Amino acid sequence: MTKTEKRLDKVIRVALTQACELAKEHVHEFSWLTHTADLKKLPQSLKVSCYCKELPITAEQTQLISSLIIKELSAKDLAINVKAISFLKE
């Protein structure tokens, strides 16, 4: 991994950690999230998996979590398609 890729990975992790903490504050059922990405093929390779204690969660909760993720990544000049965010039961 190059230095640039390491920096980019850190930026992604920091943004997603912030989104995760905010989601935990607002959605009781939300537990944690993780991501996968090919750093050479961003943003199209970025995928985020959100884990919840119970599924299904409401459409409003799904929208809130997705918007938090999109907002935090956008603040770091990273784009993610809402279709790249999935919700799973832990």
Side-chain angles (χ1 to χ4, degrees):
M1 191 182 292
T2 67
K3 284 184 180 182
T4 302
E5 289 171 338
K6 286 180 184 176
R7 279 190 224 114
L8 187 54
D9 183 56
K10 183 178 180 182
V11 166
I12 292 168
R13 284 186 288 112
V14 167
L16 290 177
T17 298
Q18 181 64 27
C20 181
E21 294 305 315
L22 290 169
K24 283 184 200 177
E25 289 177 15
H26 297 291
V27 180
H28 175 70
E29 293 85 356
F30 179 80
S31 294
W32 56 284
L33 60 77
T34 189
H35 76 285
T36 59
D38 179 345
L39 298 175
K40 291 178 173 57
K41 296 180 181 176
L42 282 176
Q44 64 272 16
S45 68
L46 182 59
K47 307 277 188 249
V48 178
S49 298
C50 301
Y51 290 87
C52 300
K53 297 170 193 160
E54 295 296 325
L55 283 180
I57 58 176
T58 67
E60 291 82 16
Q61 291 170 320
T62 301
Q63 176 61 34
L64 175 63
I65 295 168
S66 296
S67 65
L68 289 171
I69 292 167
I70 292 167
K71 178 183 168 201
E72 291 299 325
L73 288 171
S74 294
K76 307 294 184 189
D77 293 326
L78 294 166
I80 186 170
N81 187 321
V82 72
K83 293 179 184 177
I85 302 171
S86 61
F87 292 86
L88 307 161
K89 186 172 171 34
E90 59 173 350

